[in-house]
């Protein structure tokens, strides 16, 4: 889920973001977090894409140190991978439906050429790095059942917040399409 800044910050950052896309090109995407435990999922290597060919090779994600890591740990691992960027790892923490929704959102707001999750992650990480936006966030577990978990996430700069819904995945929780921006 792309958590957009408040409208006043969005206007200020949108012109900076447009300039940064031209300057940065395809370099990064969505998230590193202070305090991340570094856990990453094992995932198959995706087929190369146009955006992946321009990026440096990404090391294979490490296996999680504990199978079934909690939803908060999984969110923080996704956030870290999305800001490094470690696109294959970040995408492995998202359902395909959520990834496509995010690609559609950035395309709709004027970022052409983003066609897949890896390209999305690379582009947004570059933008966050270029504007110096912190990835620090408060993550609170709201609900957890064997079928899903709900997190309340507020980024430290107060630029965005949302409800993140996760479901069990292969050795970790994955962010799913029920996740929504709330502010």
């Amino acid at each position: 889920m792309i958590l957009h800044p408040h409208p006043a910050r969005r206007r200020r950052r949108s012109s900076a973001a447009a300039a940064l896309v031209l300057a940065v090109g395809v370099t990064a995407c969505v998230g590193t977090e202070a305090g991340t435990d570094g856990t990453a999922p094992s995932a198959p290597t995706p087929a190369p894409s146009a955006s992946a060919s321009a990026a440096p090779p990404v090391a294979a994600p490490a296996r999680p140190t504990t199978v079934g890591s909690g939803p908060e740990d999984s969110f923080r691992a996704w956030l870290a991978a999305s800001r490094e960027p470690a696109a294959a790892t970040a995408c492995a923490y998202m359902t395909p439906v959520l990834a496509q929704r995010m690609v559609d959102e950035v395309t709709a707001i004027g970022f052409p050429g983003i066609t897949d999750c890896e390209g999305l992650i690379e582009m947004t990480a570059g933008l966050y790095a270029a504007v110096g936006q912190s990835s620090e966030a408060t993550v609170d577990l709201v609900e957890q059942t064997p079928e899903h978990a709900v997190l309340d996430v507020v980024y430290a700069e107060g630029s965005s917040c949302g409800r993140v819904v996760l479901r069990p995945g292969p050795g970790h929780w994955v962010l799913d399409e029920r996740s929504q921006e709330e502010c």
Side-chain angles (χ1 to χ4, degrees), residues 15 18 33 45 48-49 56 61 66 69 75 78 80 97 107-109 117-118 136 147 151 162 173 178:
S15 60
E33 169 80 24
T45 304
S49 68
T66 59
S69 294
F75 174 79
W78 167 80
V97 174
T107 301
I109 61 172
C117 183
E118 288 81 4
E136 292 182 43
E147 294 81 31
L151 304 176
W173 291 78
R178 296 172 288 176

Side-chain angles (χ1 to χ4, degrees), residues 129-142:
V131 297
Q133 185 171 354
S134 170
S135 62
E136 292 182 43
T138 301
V139 180
D140 293 316
L141 181 64
V142 175

